[in-house]
Amino acid sequence: SYELTQPPSVSVSPGQTARITCSGDALPKQYAYWYQQKPGQAPVLVIYKDSERPSGIPERFSGSSSGTTVTLTISGVQAEDEADYYCQSADSSVVFGGGTKLTVL
Amino acid sequence: QVQLQESGPGLVKPSETLSLTCAVSGYSISSGYYWGWIRQPPGKGLEWIGSIYHSGSTYYNPSLKSRVTISVDTSKNQFSLKLSSVTAADTAVYYCARQDIAAASDGWGWFDPWGQGTLVTVSS
C-alpha cells in the first residue's frame, strides 16, 4: 500500500525556520495537503494543493514541491506553532503521513 | 460557517458494530462536496476511513472496506459511519470532515473543516 514518509520530529528555536518534509512516490502527480494538530484538538488545514494557503492561516506557513518530496516551511516559528503536522495525499486512496512533532525550543 | 459534530456511543463491545453520526450545520450537504470519516488511535496518526457524496456515491479505504458502510441523510443534513466486527484496534478518536474534491482537480482533495472528534473505545 502507498505510504507517505515524514520525520517523527523537528525542533527549532523561536524565530527560526522549520522545514517538515513528506516523501511519496506518487507526489509528482498528486497534490499534497498539510494539517496542523494541537493536543486535544482536531486537525486544521494549513496548506492545500502543495502550496496554497487557506484564508486565516498566517503567511509564515508555506508549502513547496520537488519531485517525490513536498515540504512545509514555517518561517519565523512562534511558540504557538508547536504541534503535530500531517501531510495527506493519495494514490488509489487517501493517505496520511505518519506525522511530525514540531517542538519549539 | 460550516460546522460538523460527531455523535454516538463512546463504548462498543468487541465484535459489535460501531455507529456514528456527523451533523452538519451552516451548509446543505445536498449542495455538494464529499463528506469523510477519519480516525486517530490514541497517540497515533490519522487514518482515512471513507467518504460519501450527497448522491450516495461512496469510496472507502481498501484496508477497511469489508467492514465499513457510510450513508447520507440529506433530509437531516447528516451522514453516518458503521464499522462492523470491531476489535480493540478500532479504538480511536473518530472525526468527520468536509472533503473538497472538485477544487482539487486531483480526484481526492482535502479535508476542511473537521468536527471536534469523538473517542470510541472498544472494550467488553
Side-chain angles (χ1 to χ4, degrees):
Chain A
S1 61
Y2 183 52
E3 292 184 354
L4 295 173
T5 301
Q6 299 180 233
S9 63
V10 168
S11 299
V12 295
S13 299
Q16 291 189 328
T17 296
R19 294 180 179 85
I20 300 172
T21 59
C22 172
S23 299
D25 290 341
L27 288 176
K29 59 181 188 290
Q30 293 286 351
Y31 284 124
Y33 310 95
W34 289 95
Y35 303 88
Q36 176 194 68
Q37 185 180 35
K38 296 182 179 179
Q41 298 183 20
V44 172
L45 180 74
V46 294
I47 293 290
Y48 66 99
K49 293 169 69 172
D50 290 348
S51 60
E52 301 291 323
R53 192 174 55 251
S55 60
I57 301 301
E59 292 184 5
R60 63 180 182 274
F61 288 86
S62 64
S64 61
S65 176
S66 179
T68 59
T69 298
V70 293
T71 302
L72 172 68
T73 300
I74 310 172
S75 304
V77 166
Q78 301 182 6
E80 67 195 51
D81 299 330
E82 185 163 287
D84 293 327
Y85 291 85
Y86 293 90
C87 61
Q88 176 230 314
S89 188
D91 188 6
S92 57
S93 68
V94 174
V95 176
F96 288 92
T100 298
K101 181 175 181 58
L102 175 66
T103 299
V104 181
L105 300 171
Chain B
Q1 75 278 23
V2 182
Q3 292 185 313
L4 297 91
Q5 178 68 57
E6 306 89 349
S7 63
L11 181 64
V12 180
K13 290 182 168 55
S15 79
E16 295 189 345
T17 296
L18 177 161
S19 296
L20 296 174
T21 296
C22 180
V24 180
S25 59
Y27 187 86
S28 172
I29 285 182
S30 298
S31 296
Y33 290 101
Y34 271 76
W35 303 87
W37 288 97
I38 303 101
R39 70 180 182 178
Q40 184 173 36
K44 297 187 178 180
L46 301 167
E47 179 181 35
W48 173 68
I49 299 170
S51 301
I52 190 166
Y53 194 54
H54 67 81
S55 63
S57 174
T58 55
Y59 64 115
Y60 301 131
N61 185 326
S63 68
L64 298 169
K65 186 175 182 179
S66 63
R67 298 194 292 131
V68 174
T69 302
I70 297 176
S71 59
V72 64
D73 186 339
T74 55
S75 67
K76 295 182 178 180
N77 214 39
Q78 64 186 34
F79 60 105
S80 299
L81 168 70
K82 290 188 185 299
L83 180 66
S84 64
S85 305
V86 297
T87 69
D90 294 310
T91 294
V93 175
Y94 285 76
Y95 296 100
C96 58
R98 187 176 70 176
Q99 184 177 3
D100 195 336
I101 292 178
S105 72
D106 64 358
W108 298 99
W110 63 88
F111 297 94
D112 179 60
W114 297 54
Q116 66 183 28
T118 187
L119 174 63
V120 179
T121 301
V122 179
S123 176
S124 55

